[in-house]
Amino acid sequence: MSQPFVPRPLVIAPSILASDFSKLGDEVRAVDQAGADWIHLDVMDGHFVPNISYGPDVIRALRPHTNKIFDAHLMIAPCDPYLEAFAKAGCDHITVHAEAGPHLHRSLQAIKTLGKRAGVSLNPATPISAIEYVIDMVDLVLIMSVNPGFGGQAFIPSAIGKIQDLRAMTAGRPIDIEVDGGVAPDVAGALAAAGANGFVAGSAVFKGGTMQSYKTNIAAIRTAAMQARGEAI
Ligand code: DX5
Ligand code: ZN
């Protein structure tokens, strides 16, 4: 008998890549207060992606500023030599890219051994079949709806169909489906209807530059997603 579909909790994860780096601790506290569920941490190495952001030392420095889940998105290759450092820095989720190396299974094993939730991210061109044989090790799949490396890019619509297919693949498993890139209230409904439960947003959350605007921005994404999920606002 097929399992009934039980939606995973709706999660809004502001990406601090779009925040004011000169006051990162304040920005993390502001989005926490503004209603963020997770804090999304974009780590870029200038090699796997054409941009450099920050690493485990910055994440460790941010850890005392919030109790929210630290959702790390590693856009680095290789990733294995750094997994322990990110775990020790206070990351709760560690997501690696399927394209970052030849040994995804080993990376996921290492993350689980470190006691963290293990995520896999897929670039827009990567099919979901890339995770078929590691699906039982995965706690979270992060579907990229832009090419990783920069905030503020336009949403790539093929992510919607990909999420629908992924929902079918993950049915009955406790796997979060997170979407990242160009996410704003205008696409959140379609993404939620397709099966995404985690919404990463950088520019759409941090526009306005104040806690009050972050609150309005997060609420707008949440409302659009809740409506599509048929949940009371
Ligand atoms: C892109 C990052 C995203 C980025 C999203 O490589 O993974 O998390 O911060 O930014 P927006 O929401 O502005 O597209
Ligand atoms: Zn990200």
Side-chain angles (χ1 to χ4, degrees), residues 15 17 40 42 44 73 75 144 148-152 180-182 200-203:
S15 162
L17 190 66
H40 186 78
D42 287 305
M44 304 178 180
H73 175 194
M75 289 162 272
M144 292 310 301
F150 302 96
D180 186 2
V200 176
S203 338

Side-chain angles (χ1 to χ4, degrees), residues 110-122:
I111 296 167
K112 303 295 269 183
T113 301
L114 290 163
K116 304 300 175 182
R117 290 189 83 219
V120 180
S121 185
L122 302 178

